[in-house]
């Protein structure tokens, strides 16, 4: 049987069984039949979770852009690869064909080569959602440069941390970004960041907003004139299967963000395979994922997965609320979108608006709806199902992570027998999830609730954290022996369906964005009047979670209102506006263990108003602070 395209429940069952019984043969069949290789592998999989070391398709040589672009030129030369929809509704959409994409990527790759970028060099991309972002991702891959895309909502400090951590040589940015009715001056942010990035010698600037920018002589160059002069032929560099393709930062419980390293062959095979099946993409479909390419969802399911399947992928520059709350649905009708993939936070926000924004548009082109990034609540699920899907489109609630590279647990339309709201349902072929109890034992019976781990490697998994393999091991492979630990909790019902219940560590997901508490607290602690702080998540109707900060002060001279403003300003500068606190409670002290660790568990309960059971607080170093904090808790 052929496993690449699962079309019904029997296909899924057979594929899943084969993927568990003989994983190497399973992935080998997929890899050999659906991709172009410069040289095939010597071995399919070598792995050892104790080191940890995972290698897929070792010995193989390939270039992912040949798989995403060149090989489609014969049959899909004029097919739209990227359908760019600008922020302003009256600016025309751009249909970038596979032929044009090929030309643009080759030219861009030649510009990078001229600027001295070589295979293995890191290049930072800090761009709005414009075609140059997808093109520059692919241009890096063409020449073997490792791209590190930083979401253009991060601040200068956050950008600098990411540039320095992986020692990027070159930055690609734009004069500015349009987001709804705002213009953001990206180049200025880059200029600020680069004051603390001594190793960046070149900056390429795309023109988008026509904002005035300062070009530093010898360092900064307008992109377009360089592209105009570049040749449209550029040979695709031969990459080893395990050569790094990109680095993408994700928040951790502590410390600076983790630069997750994804390698070439396994990532390509896994994103292509999961895209094809989860979205059931067929040749004339128009697929739209509303994520930003600055996140893993955009990497895997705007760029690589769709293009590896020769798909038409929509790239939308704007926001769901501009010029009004009907924008998503207008675009679904305008481009006859067939698969639509978004975050629960967007669904919740749009469901609150006048339903006429939806009903004014013809959404009958839709076949599959998807969600990602956070648990979806039942109400939002039903609204999506009824009003957007007309009860006619399977909803794929896809669970995965920056670290997993691609979707891990999700319904497959036509194959998953029954889709239950709020359940990510069943593992995709090749994925072996397990639940662990507090004692670190595998829970084999169902129903069960535990910590979600994966017992066996899959091709799309991140291989390490850039420059810090020990941290990779400590974060993902040390909590449970011989298992990858996801950091999520999950429930499994009798039928074996998984529901993701949320993070079990200090990562907080706000509007679908992962935020680590450490960098936010570091920003708050920069304030001269602050002694220390702790940030926790509280449930929020639209964002899923909002941030609640407990801040202890050494100096109470200023009004609380002024302090709140100053603290949020610091957070905006150090992390970005997405990390602003919704609520700030000033305290005289924070509850601590005898070893001096802040007891977030207690603070979380106080912030969430569930103080009936605070557990045993008598072992705290300073139990007396708890009563006062409880009494002054703020309800929003
Ligand atoms: C959460 C996003 C519930 C989860 C692709 C995970 C989800 C984290 C779902 C990774 C889902 C993602 N249901 N929770 N369908 N999808 N999550 O790295 O906590 O930005 O660990 O990757 O988002 O977020 P990341």
């Amino acid at each position: 049987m052929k496993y690449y395209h699962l079309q019904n429940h029997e296909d899924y069952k057979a594929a899943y069984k084969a993927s568990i019984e003989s994983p190497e043969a399973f992935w080998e069949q997929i890899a050999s039949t659906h991709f172009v290789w410069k040289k095939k592998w010597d071995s399919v999989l070598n792995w050892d979770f104790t080191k940890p070391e995972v290698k897929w398709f070792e010995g193989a040589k390939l270039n992912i852009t040949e798989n995403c672009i060149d090989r489609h030129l014969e049959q899909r030369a004029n097919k739209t690869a990227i359908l760019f929809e600008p922020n302003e509704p009256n600016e025309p959409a751009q249909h970038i064909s596979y032929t044009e994409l090929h030309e643009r990527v080759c030219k861009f790759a030649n510009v990078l080569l001229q600027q001295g970028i070589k295979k293995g060099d890191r290049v930072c991309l800090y761009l709005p959602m414009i075609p140059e972002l997808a093109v520059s991702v692919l241009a890096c891959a063409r020449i073997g440069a490792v791209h590190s895309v930083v979401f253009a909502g991060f601040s200068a400090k956050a950008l600098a941390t990411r540039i320095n951590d992986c020692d990027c040589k070159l930055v690609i940015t734009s004069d500015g970004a349009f987001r709804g009715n705002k213009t953001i001056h990206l180049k200025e942010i880059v200029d600020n960041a680069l004051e603390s990035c001594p190793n960046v010698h070149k900056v390429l600037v795309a023109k988008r907003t026509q904002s005035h920018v300062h070009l530093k002589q010898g360092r900064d160059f307008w992109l377009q004139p360089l592209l105009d002069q570049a040749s449209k032929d550029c040979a695709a560099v031969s990459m080893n299967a395990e050569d790094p393709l990109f680095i993408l930062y994700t928040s951790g419980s502590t410390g600076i963000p983790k630069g997750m390293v994804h390698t070439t062959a396994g990532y390509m095979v896994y994103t292509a395979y999961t895209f094809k099946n989860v979205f059931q993409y067929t040749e004339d479909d128009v697929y739209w994922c509303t994520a930003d390419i600055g996140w893993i969802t955009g990497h895997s399911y705007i760029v690589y997965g769709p293009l590896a399947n020769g798909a038409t992928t929509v790239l939308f520059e704007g926001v769901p609320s501009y010029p009004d709350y009907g924008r998503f649905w207008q675009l679904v009708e305008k481009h006859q979108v067939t698969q639509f993939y978004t975050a629960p936070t967007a669904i919740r926000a749009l469901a609150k608006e006048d339903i006429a924004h939806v009903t004014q548009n013809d959404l009958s082109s839709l076949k599959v709806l998807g969600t990602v990034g956070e648990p979806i609540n039942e109400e939002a699920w039903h609204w999506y199902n009824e009003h957007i899907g007309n009860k006619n489109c399977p909803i794929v609630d896809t669970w995965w992570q920056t670290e997993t590279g691609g979707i891990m647990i999700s319904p497959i339309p036509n194959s998953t027998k029954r889709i239950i709201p709020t359940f990510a349902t069943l593992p995709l072929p090749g994925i072996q999830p397990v639940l662990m109890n507090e004692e670190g034992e595998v829970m084999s019976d169902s129903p069960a609730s535990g910590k979600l781990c994966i017992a066996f490697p899959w091709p799309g998994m991140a291989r390490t954290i850039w420059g810090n393999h020990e941290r990779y091991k400590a974060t993902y492979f040390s909590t449970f022996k011989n298992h990858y630990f996801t950091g999520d909790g999950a429930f499994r019902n009798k039928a074996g369906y998984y529901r993701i219940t949320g993070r079990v560590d200090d990562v907080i997901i706000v509007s679908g964005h992962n935020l680590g508490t450490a960098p936010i607290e570091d920003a708050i602690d920069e304030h001269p009047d602050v002694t220390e702080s702790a940030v926790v998540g509280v449930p929020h109707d639209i964002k899923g979670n909002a941030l609640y900060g407990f801040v202890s002060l050494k100096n109470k001279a200023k009004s609380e209102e002024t302090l709140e403003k100053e603290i949020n300003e610091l957070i905006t500068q150090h992390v970005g506006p997405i990390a602003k606190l919704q609520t700030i409670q000033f305290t005289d002290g924070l509850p601590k263990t005898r070893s001096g660790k802040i007891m977030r568990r207690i603070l979380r309960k106080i912030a969430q108003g569930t103080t009936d059971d605070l557990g045993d607080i008598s072992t705290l170093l300073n139990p007396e602070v708890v009563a006062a904090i409880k009494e002054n808790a703020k309800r929003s």
Side-chain angles (χ1 to χ4, degrees), residues 334-399:
K334 176 175 171 191
H335 297 302
Q336 292 291 290
V337 171
T338 43
Q339 289 91 352
F340 179 76
Y341 190 30
T342 197
T345 189
I347 299 168
R348 289 189 293 262
L350 295 173
K352 282 219 167 358
E353 302 301 324
D354 188 349
I355 194 69
H357 287 305
V358 178
T359 51
Q360 277 160 4
N361 303 289
D362 176 4
L363 305 183
S364 60
S365 57
L366 288 169
K367 297 195 286 195
V368 177
L369 300 176
T371 72
V372 60
E374 51 182 324
I376 183 164
N377 50 309
E378 284 223 44
E379 200 184 341
W381 193 97
H382 287 295
W383 185 86
Y384 201 31
N385 184 37
E386 279 159 37
H387 297 289
I388 307 305
N390 195 23
K391 293 192 181 167
N392 219 355
C393 301
I395 296 182
V396 292
D397 175 352
T398 64
W399 173 82

Side-chain angles (χ1 to χ4, degrees), residues 3 8 69 106 116 120 169 234 251 267 309 331 349 400 406 446 477 501 588 634:
Y3 297 125
N8 54 49
I69 311 172
C106 286
K169 278 195 167 168
C234 179
S251 306
Y267 175 83
N309 282 282
L331 292 181
W400 58 295
S446 296
F477 294 92
T501 46
D588 290 331
K634 291 191 181 174

